[in-house]
Amino acid sequence: MDLWEILKLIVYGIVEGITEWLPVSSTGHLILLEKLLPLQLSPEFLALFRIVIQLAAILAVVIYFWPQLWPLKSQAKLAGSRPHGNFPNNCYQPQHPVQARFHPWGSRWAWNLDILALWGKILLACVPAGIVGVCLDEFFEKHFYNPLSVALALILVALVFLLVEKWQEGQSPTITSHRQITWQIAVLIGCFQMLAGVFPGVSRSGACIIGGLILGLSRPAASEFSFYLAIPVMAGASLLKLLRLPVSASSMEVLALLLACLVAFATSLATIKYFLAYVRSHSFRGFAYYRIALGLVILVFMALS
């Protein structure tokens, strides 16, 4: 593997780290990137590369949201937390009584029931996508993973974004925190997420956000919940593909893969941070217009090739 191929892998890692978390379809971008900057590598290594950089992006979500997602808290932290007031996003926020136990190495810990309930809703919301992924993943990849399907999905979902934003004008969200998400709403958002598994180009985060907005979530709450849902869905799908894949790589390929993963991880962290800050004061119209432009560009490339 020469230096030019390694540099291209880094570019792919940057694109993955940015587009995986924005409602713009990472699949659409990768299809376009493969046309503009094709990788001269074996199909087996390319398949491995796509899976591993996705796992690196997922790790970024886990690290970024660790305080909100890790349910086991030390009693010292529990005692030091305030029961009322405004909290920053990454602060431990107990809302209900907790069940305490002794950790095997002697430190006392307590379970945060809010976070345990959140994980229950996350896993429940992932059931529809999980069923479709296990049963029909190869079928949908064979029939819909093509530039035309992706371009059409990019444009159609963009129009839905514009309609939802228009419909929401003058309305206030009824759900501004994941604690207000009911089990029923979690399942419905999971059904929206399932659409992304069926039709490449829809965007998993985009489908979740649209579902959340329709169901009354604020833009930040819908975006954050879409990140949470990515952990089991993307990790499960990636690991399932990894198990089916005959893995073999040279030492140079492994080093290049690790470098691209580090780039995808760092880019994902930055993207998540700035995206959440952006949606607190902006609509999704800009992303919708971008999706339409990208879809048209893919159609033009198809016509010229």
Side-chain angles (χ1 to χ4, degrees):
M1 180 182 296
D2 58 27
L3 179 60
W4 178 234
E5 290 302 312
I6 293 175
L7 291 175
K8 287 195 285 187
L9 288 177
I10 292 173
V11 172
Y12 274 69
I14 293 172
V15 172
E16 167 68 21
I18 294 174
T19 61
E20 189 64 60
W21 308 115
L22 302 181
V24 295
S25 174
S26 60
T27 303
H29 284 80
L30 290 176
I31 285 178
L32 187 58
L33 191 60
E34 287 171 2
K35 296 286 186 182
L36 296 172
L37 202 65
L39 293 167
Q40 307 300 321
L41 301 170
S42 67
E44 294 78 12
F45 178 77
L46 285 177
L48 176 64
F49 170 74
R50 294 189 187 103
I51 294 171
V52 175
I53 61 168
Q54 192 172 59
L55 290 173
I58 298 168
L59 180 60
V61 175
V62 173
I63 297 299
Y64 188 89
F65 291 107
W66 183 263
Q68 292 100 311
L69 295 175
W70 182 245
L72 197 59
K73 306 293 180 179
S74 69
Q75 287 286 29
K77 190 170 185 179
L78 176 62
S81 62
R82 294 172 295 171
H84 301 289
N86 296 321
F87 296 91
N89 285 338
N90 61 349
C91 181
Y92 169 53
Q93 305 172 37
Q95 295 289 321
H96 300 301
V98 293
Q99 296 174 349
R101 67 178 176 86
F102 284 92
H103 204 271
W105 50 85
S107 300
R108 193 170 183 179
W109 296 75
W111 291 105
N112 184 320
L113 298 186
D114 277 331
I115 297 179
L116 289 176
L118 172 63
W119 270 110
K121 294 170 188 175
I122 291 171
L123 295 176
L124 182 63
C126 292
V127 169
I131 294 174
V132 169
V134 170
C135 299
L136 299 171
D137 180 63
E138 293 183 357
F139 172 83
F140 289 124
E141 186 168 337
K142 178 181 178 181
H143 291 86
F144 294 109
Y145 194 93
N146 57 72
L148 178 60
S149 296
V150 171
L152 293 177
L154 281 165
I155 295 171
L156 290 175
V157 173
L159 296 177
V160 175
F161 259 120
L162 293 175
L163 289 173
V164 171
E165 287 287 356
K166 182 67 176 178
W167 170 66
Q168 280 203 320
E169 287 181 357
Q171 298 187 41
S172 299
T174 57
I175 299 172
T176 57
S177 167
H178 65 72
R179 293 183 185 83
Q180 297 172 286
I181 297 175
T182 64
W183 296 89
Q184 294 88 340
I185 289 176
V187 172
L188 291 174
I189 294 176
C191 292
F192 277 91
Q193 178 178 239
M194 178 182 65
L195 296 175
V198 175
F199 302 106
V202 167
S203 168
R204 191 207 57 79
S205 62
C208 292
I209 290 170
I210 287 175
L213 295 177
I214 292 173
L215 294 167
L217 275 69
S218 65
R219 293 187 186 98
S223 301
E224 193 166 315
F225 195 65
S226 77
F227 292 139
Y228 296 163
L229 296 187
I231 298 171
V233 165
M234 290 173 56
S238 297
L239 292 173
L240 188 63
K241 291 178 181 178
L242 196 59
L243 291 174
R244 296 173 179 171
L245 190 69
V247 180
S248 62
S250 67
S251 57
M252 180 59 71
E253 287 176 332
V254 171
L255 289 175
L257 194 60
L258 290 175
L259 180 59
C261 286
L262 182 60
V263 171
F265 174 81
T267 308
S268 292
L269 283 177
T271 300
I272 293 167
K273 177 182 178 180
Y274 289 107
F275 177 65
L276 289 176
Y278 177 87
V279 297
R280 291 190 184 100
S281 55
H282 296 81
S283 74
F284 289 104
R285 288 190 179 90
F287 294 107
Y289 297 138
Y290 179 82
R291 289 178 65 101
I292 292 172
L294 180 62
L296 293 175
V297 169
I298 293 176
L299 291 175
V300 169
F301 266 90
M302 287 178 57
L304 296 177
S305 60

